[in-house]
Amino acid sequence: AQVVEEVLWKLDCTRQAGDEGSAAARHALDQAWNALLDIAKALINIGPRSGEVHFRNTKGSALAWLRQHESSFDQTYTHSSLWGCKDHATSTGRFLIPDTSEAQETLFKICAFFFDQNSPRCLVEKSTKVHPLIEDIDILGTADEKDKPPDHLLSDTFWQRRAEVLHELFPKLPELELTLFHASGWSEDYGRRKTSF
């Protein structure tokens, strides 16, 4: 371990020097870190499982809890990691989180814990056959910062007509629930006023 630490330290010093060897040192460091992570994952995966793991507000218990819910490639899964197989908590990039209030609450706490540690998880929930329809409507206004955003352009009549169209598209659904988020202001991306629904 001491020899590996010395090698990594020397590579890091070379990387920081900024001379012609820094690019090669950076590449060597990346390769060394990836190899060490692969070794660690292999050791974790062959290690003994000692029953159910509980999250105890530590990084180790959070990763262990996620690992116990790892899904293999041939299993169904509920969440995937945007880091894929490079995620420290899974060798497949997939998780099968139980659909219980306790498991969901633990997952939320773990995500919040990692966010507070400046190491947010990049998880995506897999869509099921029943999932929400999400629309994003952006309306661009003027480039005059003194003007108001164009909030008034979509009236109640627009939303009522939109609901009628959705009922025509999904006639078997007796009821459609609308959750409307609204934001308006100056858009740095467009250099003009914008309202979003």
mmCIF file of all heavy atoms in Angstrom, residues 84-115:
data_model
loop_
_atom_site.group_PDB
_atom_site.id
_atom_site.type_symbol
_atom_site.label_atom_id
_atom_site.label_comp_id
_atom_site.label_asym_id
_atom_site.label_seq_id
_atom_site.Cartn_x
_atom_site.Cartn_y
_atom_site.Cartn_z
ATOM 1 N N GLY A 84 -23.071 4.186 -14.814
ATOM 2 C CA GLY A 84 -22.980 2.820 -15.316
ATOM 3 C C GLY A 84 -22.157 1.929 -14.415
ATOM 4 O O GLY A 84 -22.250 1.994 -13.186
ATOM 5 N N CYS A 85 -21.318 1.105 -15.029
ATOM 6 C CA CYS A 85 -20.493 0.159 -14.277
ATOM 7 C C CYS A 85 -19.386 0.831 -13.472
ATOM 8 O O CYS A 85 -18.742 0.189 -12.650
ATOM 9 C CB CYS A 85 -19.885 -0.862 -15.234
ATOM 10 S SG CYS A 85 -21.125 -1.832 -16.097
ATOM 11 N N LYS A 86 -19.155 2.121 -13.701
ATOM 12 C CA LYS A 86 -18.128 2.834 -12.937
ATOM 13 C C LYS A 86 -18.661 3.345 -11.598
ATOM 14 O O LYS A 86 -17.923 3.922 -10.817
ATOM 15 C CB LYS A 86 -17.562 3.992 -13.754
ATOM 16 C CG LYS A 86 -16.759 3.516 -14.947
ATOM 17 C CD LYS A 86 -16.048 4.655 -15.632
ATOM 18 C CE LYS A 86 -15.188 4.087 -16.748
ATOM 19 N NZ LYS A 86 -14.342 5.077 -17.361
ATOM 20 N N ASP A 87 -19.941 3.137 -11.339
ATOM 21 C CA ASP A 87 -20.541 3.531 -10.068
ATOM 22 C C ASP A 87 -19.965 2.642 -8.966
ATOM 23 O O ASP A 87 -19.920 1.425 -9.092
ATOM 24 C CB ASP A 87 -22.062 3.362 -10.150
ATOM 25 C CG ASP A 87 -22.777 3.976 -8.971
ATOM 26 O OD1 ASP A 87 -22.325 3.775 -7.830
ATOM 27 O OD2 ASP A 87 -23.793 4.651 -9.192
ATOM 28 N N HIS A 88 -19.534 3.267 -7.868
ATOM 29 C CA HIS A 88 -18.936 2.515 -6.765
ATOM 30 C C HIS A 88 -19.923 1.572 -6.094
ATOM 31 O O HIS A 88 -19.522 0.647 -5.395
ATOM 32 C CB HIS A 88 -18.372 3.466 -5.700
ATOM 33 C CG HIS A 88 -17.326 4.392 -6.221
ATOM 34 N ND1 HIS A 88 -16.113 3.958 -6.687
ATOM 35 C CD2 HIS A 88 -17.320 5.738 -6.370
ATOM 36 C CE1 HIS A 88 -15.400 4.987 -7.088
ATOM 37 N NE2 HIS A 88 -16.106 6.082 -6.922
ATOM 38 N N ALA A 89 -21.211 1.796 -6.290
ATOM 39 C CA ALA A 89 -22.212 1.003 -5.588
ATOM 40 C C ALA A 89 -22.726 -0.184 -6.401
ATOM 41 O O ALA A 89 -23.502 -0.983 -5.892
ATOM 42 C CB ALA A 89 -23.384 1.884 -5.177
ATOM 43 N N THR A 90 -22.302 -0.310 -7.646
ATOM 44 C CA THR A 90 -22.803 -1.403 -8.478
ATOM 45 C C THR A 90 -21.820 -1.728 -9.591
ATOM 46 O O THR A 90 -21.184 -0.832 -10.136
ATOM 47 C CB THR A 90 -24.181 -1.045 -9.087
ATOM 48 O OG1 THR A 90 -24.551 -2.058 -10.014
ATOM 49 C CG2 THR A 90 -24.167 0.291 -9.784
ATOM 50 N N SER A 91 -21.719 -2.991 -9.916
ATOM 51 C CA SER A 91 -20.855 -3.378 -11.034
ATOM 52 C C SER A 91 -21.640 -3.449 -12.341
ATOM 53 O O SER A 91 -21.059 -3.589 -13.405
ATOM 54 C CB SER A 91 -20.202 -4.737 -10.744
ATOM 55 O OG SER A 91 -21.200 -5.727 -10.573
ATOM 56 N N THR A 92 -22.984 -3.349 -12.253
ATOM 57 C CA THR A 92 -23.818 -3.421 -13.452
ATOM 58 C C THR A 92 -24.417 -2.075 -13.845
ATOM 59 O O THR A 92 -24.923 -1.928 -14.949
ATOM 60 C CB THR A 92 -24.994 -4.403 -13.231
ATOM 61 O OG1 THR A 92 -25.814 -3.913 -12.176
ATOM 62 C CG2 THR A 92 -24.485 -5.798 -12.920
ATOM 63 N N GLY A 93 -24.405 -1.116 -12.914
ATOM 64 C CA GLY A 93 -25.030 0.169 -13.178
ATOM 65 C C GLY A 93 -26.527 0.142 -12.941
ATOM 66 O O GLY A 93 -27.231 1.090 -13.273
ATOM 67 N N ARG A 94 -27.032 -0.962 -12.329
ATOM 68 C CA ARG A 94 -28.477 -1.129 -12.140
ATOM 69 C C ARG A 94 -28.812 -1.479 -10.693
ATOM 70 O O ARG A 94 -28.048 -2.162 -10.016
ATOM 71 C CB ARG A 94 -28.987 -2.246 -13.033
ATOM 72 C CG ARG A 94 -28.798 -1.979 -14.499
ATOM 73 C CD ARG A 94 -29.217 -3.166 -15.305
ATOM 74 N NE ARG A 94 -29.150 -2.872 -16.726
ATOM 75 C CZ ARG A 94 -29.655 -3.653 -17.661
ATOM 76 N NH1 ARG A 94 -30.262 -4.766 -17.331
ATOM 77 N NH2 ARG A 94 -29.555 -3.311 -18.914
ATOM 78 N N PHE A 95 -29.993 -1.040 -10.283
ATOM 79 C CA PHE A 95 -30.485 -1.332 -8.935
ATOM 80 C C PHE A 95 -31.923 -1.824 -9.010
ATOM 81 O O PHE A 95 -32.681 -1.418 -9.890
ATOM 82 C CB PHE A 95 -30.447 -0.082 -8.054
ATOM 83 C CG PHE A 95 -29.073 0.491 -7.879
ATOM 84 C CD1 PHE A 95 -28.651 1.538 -8.686
ATOM 85 C CD2 PHE A 95 -28.205 -0.012 -6.928
ATOM 86 C CE1 PHE A 95 -27.392 2.076 -8.543
ATOM 87 C CE2 PHE A 95 -26.936 0.522 -6.784
ATOM 88 C CZ PHE A 95 -26.523 1.567 -7.587
ATOM 89 N N LEU A 96 -32.285 -2.685 -8.069
ATOM 90 C CA LEU A 96 -33.658 -3.143 -7.918
ATOM 91 C C LEU A 96 -34.103 -2.747 -6.508
ATOM 92 O O LEU A 96 -33.906 -3.477 -5.542
ATOM 93 C CB LEU A 96 -33.758 -4.665 -8.112
ATOM 94 C CG LEU A 96 -35.140 -5.292 -7.959
ATOM 95 C CD1 LEU A 96 -36.138 -4.648 -8.909
ATOM 96 C CD2 LEU A 96 -35.073 -6.793 -8.200
ATOM 97 N N ILE A 97 -34.647 -1.537 -6.408
ATOM 98 C CA ILE A 97 -35.076 -0.990 -5.119
ATOM 99 C C ILE A 97 -36.508 -1.455 -4.858
ATOM 100 O O ILE A 97 -37.387 -1.241 -5.703
ATOM 101 C CB ILE A 97 -35.018 0.551 -5.114
ATOM 102 C CG1 ILE A 97 -33.650 1.060 -5.579
ATOM 103 C CG2 ILE A 97 -35.395 1.105 -3.743
ATOM 104 C CD1 ILE A 97 -32.493 0.737 -4.694
ATOM 105 N N PRO A 98 -36.759 -2.098 -3.721
ATOM 106 C CA PRO A 98 -38.122 -2.564 -3.431
ATOM 107 C C PRO A 98 -39.120 -1.404 -3.414
ATOM 108 O O PRO A 98 -38.789 -0.289 -3.022
ATOM 109 C CB PRO A 98 -37.996 -3.180 -2.034
ATOM 110 C CG PRO A 98 -36.546 -3.506 -1.886
ATOM 111 C CD PRO A 98 -35.813 -2.466 -2.666
ATOM 112 N N ASP A 99 -40.341 -1.699 -3.831
ATOM 113 C CA ASP A 99 -41.392 -0.685 -3.857
ATOM 114 C C ASP A 99 -42.129 -0.675 -2.521
ATOM 115 O O ASP A 99 -43.324 -0.936 -2.449
ATOM 116 C CB ASP A 99 -42.356 -0.953 -5.015
ATOM 117 C CG ASP A 99 -43.280 0.228 -5.262
ATOM 118 O OD1 ASP A 99 -42.971 1.331 -4.789
ATOM 119 O OD2 ASP A 99 -44.306 0.029 -5.938
ATOM 120 N N THR A 100 -41.364 -0.388 -1.466
ATOM 121 C CA THR A 100 -41.948 -0.252 -0.128
ATOM 122 C C THR A 100 -41.639 1.150 0.378
ATOM 123 O O THR A 100 -40.653 1.771 -0.050
ATOM 124 C CB THR A 100 -41.357 -1.276 0.866
ATOM 125 O OG1 THR A 100 -39.956 -0.997 1.043
ATOM 126 C CG2 THR A 100 -41.533 -2.699 0.355
ATOM 127 N N SER A 101 -42.463 1.636 1.277
ATOM 128 C CA SER A 101 -42.236 2.989 1.790
ATOM 129 C C SER A 101 -40.899 3.063 2.533
ATOM 130 O O SER A 101 -40.189 4.064 2.448
ATOM 131 C CB SER A 101 -43.386 3.428 2.693
ATOM 132 O OG SER A 101 -43.563 2.513 3.755
ATOM 133 N N GLU A 102 -40.516 1.997 3.227
ATOM 134 C CA GLU A 102 -39.248 1.997 3.960
ATOM 135 C C GLU A 102 -38.049 2.077 3.007
ATOM 136 O O GLU A 102 -37.127 2.871 3.208
ATOM 137 C CB GLU A 102 -39.130 0.733 4.821
ATOM 138 C CG GLU A 102 -37.838 0.683 5.620
ATOM 139 C CD GLU A 102 -37.676 -0.607 6.414
ATOM 140 O OE1 GLU A 102 -38.604 -1.444 6.394
ATOM 141 O OE2 GLU A 102 -36.628 -0.773 7.039
ATOM 142 N N ALA A 103 -38.072 1.264 1.950
ATOM 143 C CA ALA A 103 -36.963 1.277 0.985
ATOM 144 C C ALA A 103 -36.899 2.613 0.251
ATOM 145 O O ALA A 103 -35.809 3.163 0.040
ATOM 146 C CB ALA A 103 -37.112 0.133 -0.003
ATOM 147 N N GLN A 104 -38.050 3.143 -0.156
ATOM 148 C CA GLN A 104 -38.066 4.430 -0.851
ATOM 149 C C GLN A 104 -37.541 5.543 0.051
ATOM 150 O O GLN A 104 -36.759 6.390 -0.381
ATOM 151 C CB GLN A 104 -39.490 4.762 -1.324
ATOM 152 C CG GLN A 104 -40.060 3.758 -2.317
ATOM 153 C CD GLN A 104 -39.294 3.698 -3.621
ATOM 154 O OE1 GLN A 104 -38.914 4.719 -4.166
ATOM 155 N NE2 GLN A 104 -39.060 2.499 -4.117
ATOM 156 N N GLU A 105 -37.955 5.542 1.313
ATOM 157 C CA GLU A 105 -37.490 6.562 2.261
ATOM 158 C C GLU A 105 -35.979 6.450 2.477
ATOM 159 O O GLU A 105 -35.276 7.463 2.525
ATOM 160 C CB GLU A 105 -38.232 6.402 3.594
ATOM 161 C CG GLU A 105 -37.891 7.442 4.627
ATOM 162 C CD GLU A 105 -38.364 8.844 4.256
ATOM 163 O OE1 GLU A 105 -39.322 8.979 3.467
ATOM 164 O OE2 GLU A 105 -37.760 9.810 4.748
ATOM 165 N N THR A 106 -35.475 5.222 2.560
ATOM 166 C CA THR A 106 -34.022 5.029 2.723
ATOM 167 C C THR A 106 -33.277 5.536 1.500
ATOM 168 O O THR A 106 -32.248 6.212 1.619
ATOM 169 C CB THR A 106 -33.696 3.548 2.978
ATOM 170 O OG1 THR A 106 -34.378 3.119 4.160
ATOM 171 C CG2 THR A 106 -32.201 3.331 3.161
ATOM 172 N N LEU A 107 -33.794 5.233 0.309
ATOM 173 C CA LEU A 107 -33.156 5.725 -0.914
ATOM 174 C C LEU A 107 -33.138 7.249 -0.933
ATOM 175 O O LEU A 107 -32.116 7.857 -1.276
ATOM 176 C CB LEU A 107 -33.876 5.188 -2.155
ATOM 177 C CG LEU A 107 -33.325 5.664 -3.496
ATOM 178 C CD1 LEU A 107 -31.881 5.209 -3.689
ATOM 179 C CD2 LEU A 107 -34.207 5.160 -4.636
ATOM 180 N N PHE A 108 -34.240 7.889 -0.547
ATOM 181 C CA PHE A 108 -34.287 9.354 -0.506
ATOM 182 C C PHE A 108 -33.251 9.900 0.467
ATOM 183 O O PHE A 108 -32.559 10.881 0.183
ATOM 184 C CB PHE A 108 -35.678 9.847 -0.111
ATOM 185 C CG PHE A 108 -36.777 9.433 -1.056
ATOM 186 C CD1 PHE A 108 -38.072 9.309 -0.606
ATOM 187 C CD2 PHE A 108 -36.513 9.148 -2.395
ATOM 188 C CE1 PHE A 108 -39.091 8.922 -1.471
ATOM 189 C CE2 PHE A 108 -37.524 8.760 -3.274
ATOM 190 C CZ PHE A 108 -38.813 8.647 -2.804
ATOM 191 N N LYS A 109 -33.138 9.267 1.641
ATOM 192 C CA LYS A 109 -32.168 9.716 2.649
ATOM 193 C C LYS A 109 -30.736 9.553 2.138
ATOM 194 O O LYS A 109 -29.888 10.413 2.371
ATOM 195 C CB LYS A 109 -32.355 8.934 3.951
ATOM 196 C CG LYS A 109 -33.590 9.331 4.716
ATOM 197 C CD LYS A 109 -33.731 8.510 5.987
ATOM 198 C CE LYS A 109 -34.983 8.908 6.754
ATOM 199 N NZ LYS A 109 -35.192 8.079 7.952
ATOM 200 N N ILE A 110 -30.481 8.460 1.441
ATOM 201 C CA ILE A 110 -29.137 8.225 0.894
ATOM 202 C C ILE A 110 -28.809 9.263 -0.177
ATOM 203 O O ILE A 110 -27.704 9.821 -0.206
ATOM 204 C CB ILE A 110 -29.014 6.787 0.347
ATOM 205 C CG1 ILE A 110 -28.941 5.803 1.528
ATOM 206 C CG2 ILE A 110 -27.809 6.630 -0.565
ATOM 207 C CD1 ILE A 110 -28.995 4.354 1.125
ATOM 208 N N CYS A 111 -29.765 9.549 -1.043
ATOM 209 C CA CYS A 111 -29.542 10.574 -2.082
ATOM 210 C C CYS A 111 -29.272 11.930 -1.442
ATOM 211 O O CYS A 111 -28.366 12.659 -1.867
ATOM 212 C CB CYS A 111 -30.729 10.643 -3.029
ATOM 213 S SG CYS A 111 -30.848 9.208 -4.118
ATOM 214 N N ALA A 112 -30.047 12.279 -0.406
ATOM 215 C CA ALA A 112 -29.837 13.548 0.299
ATOM 216 C C ALA A 112 -28.483 13.559 1.000
ATOM 217 O O ALA A 112 -27.772 14.573 0.990
ATOM 218 C CB ALA A 112 -30.962 13.783 1.307
ATOM 219 N N PHE A 113 -28.094 12.424 1.588
ATOM 220 C CA PHE A 113 -26.803 12.319 2.278
ATOM 221 C C PHE A 113 -25.657 12.586 1.301
ATOM 222 O O PHE A 113 -24.766 13.381 1.567
ATOM 223 C CB PHE A 113 -26.663 10.925 2.901
ATOM 224 C CG PHE A 113 -25.292 10.635 3.444
ATOM 225 C CD1 PHE A 113 -24.906 11.102 4.699
ATOM 226 C CD2 PHE A 113 -24.379 9.898 2.711
ATOM 227 C CE1 PHE A 113 -23.642 10.837 5.197
ATOM 228 C CE2 PHE A 113 -23.114 9.628 3.195
ATOM 229 C CZ PHE A 113 -22.740 10.105 4.451
ATOM 230 N N PHE A 114 -25.681 11.912 0.147
ATOM 231 C CA PHE A 114 -24.614 12.107 -0.832
ATOM 232 C C PHE A 114 -24.625 13.526 -1.391
ATOM 233 O O PHE A 114 -23.569 14.100 -1.653
ATOM 234 C CB PHE A 114 -24.709 11.079 -1.963
ATOM 235 C CG PHE A 114 -24.106 9.747 -1.617
ATOM 236 C CD1 PHE A 114 -24.893 8.618 -1.531
ATOM 237 C CD2 PHE A 114 -22.755 9.633 -1.381
ATOM 238 C CE1 PHE A 114 -24.341 7.390 -1.214
ATOM 239 C CE2 PHE A 114 -22.184 8.415 -1.063
ATOM 240 C CZ PHE A 114 -22.984 7.291 -0.980
ATOM 241 N N PHE A 115 -25.795 14.112 -1.567
ATOM 242 C CA PHE A 115 -25.882 15.491 -2.030
ATOM 243 C C PHE A 115 -25.222 16.424 -1.014
ATOM 244 O O PHE A 115 -24.444 17.314 -1.379
ATOM 245 C CB PHE A 115 -27.341 15.892 -2.248
ATOM 246 C CG PHE A 115 -27.496 17.292 -2.757
ATOM 247 C CD1 PHE A 115 -27.353 17.574 -4.104
ATOM 248 C CD2 PHE A 115 -27.769 18.336 -1.885
ATOM 249 C CE1 PHE A 115 -27.484 18.868 -4.579
ATOM 250 C CE2 PHE A 115 -27.904 19.633 -2.357
ATOM 251 C CZ PHE A 115 -27.756 19.898 -3.700
#
